[in-house]
Amino acid sequence: MRFTLDSSHQDFASSIDALLSKADMPSVIRSWNTGDTGPGLKVWQRLAETGVNGLLIADEHDGLGADAVDLVVAVEQLGRHAVPGPVAETVAVAPALLAQVAPDRLAALASGSLATVAAAPHVPFAVDADSADLVLLVDGATVSLGRTGAAQNSVDQSRRLFPLTAGDTLGDVDFAPAFDLGALATAAQLQGLGQTLLDVTTDYAKQRKQFGKVIGQFQAIKHHLAEVAVGLEMSRPLLHGAALSVRDGSVDSSRDVSAAKVACGDAAYRAARVALQVHGAIGYTQEHDLSLWLTKVRALVTAWGTPAFHRGRVVDSLVEAS
């Protein structure tokens, strides 16, 4: 089966890419890392103006009323540019939760507010709760406003992690669809991160010289980059297929989301390792922009469900089907 985006999806992706390309994202990310979220929040406001925040919010609440396919198209671009902040939580998870318990809060989300979510055991901490306008805690089926504890460190400095305790209760929800949307959005971020790492590393290999030749001419480098390219091309259909599965309400949607999360995570992690190897010692330094993408990949591989959890869901689904 072949999944091809139509012209409207391609145009939407291009508009987001153009918007983010105008921002100095490495500087935005580094500011966010130090607690200066101003430049990042300006980026988020511009994204909201394009409709990104309101993708999964109904028209009646000032959203676009779009679907999971539009979600992955948009979030892959956010991943390509390593946009800081609670991406999956704001764009995917919070809209699904609020639609069930507090629809009156959706318009604010669509207009540019940030939201973050914690839901043990798979999402034990709320990302960037100190920068979010809305902090939600899911405990079983109950959604509450969250009270933040002391920040925890992440390998990705742009992801500040906060434990939550329950505040005012908003109501009960079916959390499974929201969790799948969080995992799907994270997979899309990883896909975008992996693509940027491949592009940046390929460009570097065309310029860096050793022994009088650009290193991209060496077979070992070519093979490594080819493996990364193949991995990303193989994960993309799983990502788009999972989006279609979620959009159409397939009984296999959770399995498909888990398959996409594993595939995109593996492809992005391979891209990160090869990028680090090809760049050599310079890739290890925090001063190089590469580090901003590398650390985000490492953090997101285990976000919204570890690879082991998602592989287990795929296996369990296949066993049940047999």
Side-chain angles (χ1 to χ4, degrees):
M1 186 177 293
R2 182 178 178 83
F3 300 104
T4 304
L5 298 176
D6 63 28
S7 59
S8 65
H9 290 128
Q10 293 169 351
D11 291 344
F12 187 37
S14 296
S15 68
I16 296 172
D17 179 48
L19 183 156
L20 294 173
S21 295
K22 292 177 183 177
D24 181 0
M25 287 309 299
S27 294
V28 169
I29 297 166
R30 288 192 168 92
S31 293
W32 193 282
N33 291 353
T34 62
D36 178 10
T37 59
L41 293 177
K42 288 181 181 178
V43 170
W44 272 101
Q45 188 57 52
R46 295 190 190 104
L47 289 169
E49 291 166 3
T50 70
V52 169
N53 290 44
L55 278 171
L56 299 187
I57 296 174
D59 297 348
E60 63 197 76
H61 299 296
D62 300 332
L64 295 185
D67 57 40
V69 177
D70 301 285
L71 174 71
V72 300
V73 168
V75 176
E76 182 175 347
Q77 295 303 316
L78 271 58
R80 283 183 68 107
H81 293 272
V83 172
V87 172
E89 294 79 3
T90 293
V91 181
V93 182
L97 296 176
L98 294 178
Q100 298 181 62
V101 296
D104 57 303
R105 295 176 180 264
L106 287 169
L109 200 60
S111 68
S113 294
L114 295 188
T116 190
V117 180
H122 302 298
V123 191
F125 300 106
V127 175
D128 295 315
D130 57 339
S131 304
D133 303 288
L134 179 65
V135 179
L136 299 175
L137 173 64
V138 182
D139 184 5
T142 302
V143 179
S144 304
L145 297 178
R147 299 192 183 103
T148 60
Q152 307 290 313
N153 293 329
S154 168
V155 66
D156 175 10
Q157 293 182 40
S158 72
R159 287 171 58 85
R160 291 183 295 279
L161 307 176
F162 291 84
L164 301 182
T165 55
D168 294 340
T169 298
L170 297 180
D172 290 343
V173 298
D174 178 5
F175 182 58
F179 176 81
D180 283 347
L181 284 170
L184 181 66
T186 304
Q189 278 184 277
L190 285 162
Q191 183 73 23
L193 287 161
Q195 188 62 54
T196 292
L197 286 167
L198 173 61
D199 294 343
V200 168
T201 306
T202 300
D203 289 344
Y204 181 78
K206 292 177 180 178
Q207 299 170 14
R208 178 76 166 91
K209 288 185 177 181
Q210 284 187 344
F211 309 112
K213 294 183 178 180
V214 293
I215 62 174
Q217 293 181 343
F218 298 124
Q219 251 189 352
I221 300 294
K222 290 180 181 178
H223 287 173
H224 280 309
L225 293 174
E227 288 175 356
V228 172
V230 169
L232 290 167
E233 284 302 307
M234 294 296 288
S235 60
R236 183 169 284 108
L238 289 173
L239 177 64
H240 292 165
L244 285 172
S245 188
V246 170
R247 184 196 71 182
D248 297 340
S250 168
V251 295
D252 296 322
S253 60
S254 292
R255 178 202 66 189
D256 295 342
V257 166
S258 285
K261 177 63 161 57
V262 170
C264 293
D266 285 352
Y269 191 63
R270 183 184 298 109
R273 293 187 61 175
V274 169
L276 190 57
Q277 185 174 4
V278 171
H279 278 80
I282 193 173
Y284 285 91
T285 64
Q286 289 188 350
E287 290 74 19
H288 198 284
D289 292 347
L290 186 72
S291 66
L292 305 175
W293 274 254
L294 294 176
T295 53
K296 189 168 291 293
V297 167
R298 185 65 188 86
L300 292 182
V301 164
T302 55
W304 287 93
T306 64
F309 167 76
H310 285 291
R311 284 191 172 93
R313 283 216 304 184
V314 173
V315 171
D316 289 346
S317 177
L318 294 175
V319 169
E320 290 173 5
S322 63

